[in-house]
Amino acid sequence: MSEVQKINSPDRPAGPMYSHAVKIPGLIFCSGQTPMDSTGNVVPGDIKAHTASSSCHRVCDLTFKLFPQAQCVSNLTDVLKAAGSSWENVVKVNVYLRSMDDYAAMNEEYIKLLPDPKPARTCIQAGKLPFDVDIEIEAIAAV
């Protein structure tokens, strides 16, 4: 039996060119998620709109009260759940922004959404992101 398990969330559109996550003993590597809804369409609006998706639950609130949540974070929540994990186990996050001018607005929502203590994080400006979106987020979680 292979120790590499490829995972796709039933709540995310599947793509033929990658897995939503790959799980190995002790770690889960989540593919980058863009601000796309469950039908594969980019949610409308700017960086804050891509951060706000009122139909989702706050990931860091263990009672899962309704709260605006980042679309990218929401998508990663689905992937982590499919892999048998959660944000409480995330150890590293990489954020890719189309423009560092969006850094403060992204941080404003990121701080609200992720549980404390926050995971280690890198944030960079990317030259061009898939589907010309303004943000992509990936994560690595412990099992």
Side-chain angles (χ1 to χ4, degrees), residues 4 8-9 25 31 39 47 50 55 63 65 67 69 72-73 86 88 92 101 109 116 129 131 143:
V4 175
N8 284 309
S9 168
S31 293
T39 64
I47 192 81
H50 290 164
S55 65
T63 63
K65 295 177 184 171
F67 190 85
Q69 186 188 88
C72 293
V73 173
S86 68
E88 285 73 18
K92 177 72 165 109
D101 293 340
E109 299 302 319
D116 289 321
L129 294 168
F131 309 104
V143 176

Side-chain angles (χ1 to χ4, degrees), residues 53-111:
S53 174
S54 60
S55 65
C56 300
H57 300 285
R58 186 175 176 190
V59 294
C60 56
D61 184 349
L62 296 179
T63 63
F64 293 99
K65 295 177 184 171
L66 285 176
F67 190 85
Q69 186 188 88
Q71 187 68 47
C72 293
V73 173
S74 174
N75 296 349
L76 281 167
T77 301
D78 293 341
V79 173
L80 288 164
K81 181 179 175 184
S85 192
S86 68
W87 279 101
E88 285 73 18
N89 296 326
V90 172
V91 295
K92 177 72 165 109
V93 173
N94 290 324
V95 178
Y96 306 97
L97 296 174
R98 176 174 44 201
S99 171
M100 286 306 274
D101 293 340
D102 291 331
Y103 184 77
M106 180 276 302
N107 269 336
E108 190 177 319
E109 299 302 319
Y110 182 94
I111 288 166

Side-chain angles (χ1 to χ4, degrees), residues 114-132:
L114 284 136
D116 289 321
K118 304 283 188 265
R121 186 183 89 181
T122 299
C123 182
I124 65 166
Q125 180 173 313
K128 186 158 176 83
L129 294 168
F131 309 104
D132 201 31

Side-chain angles (χ1 to χ4, degrees), residues 34-47:
T34 57
M36 295 181 124
D37 63 22
S38 61
T39 64
N41 295 310
V42 175
V43 296
D46 61 11
I47 192 81

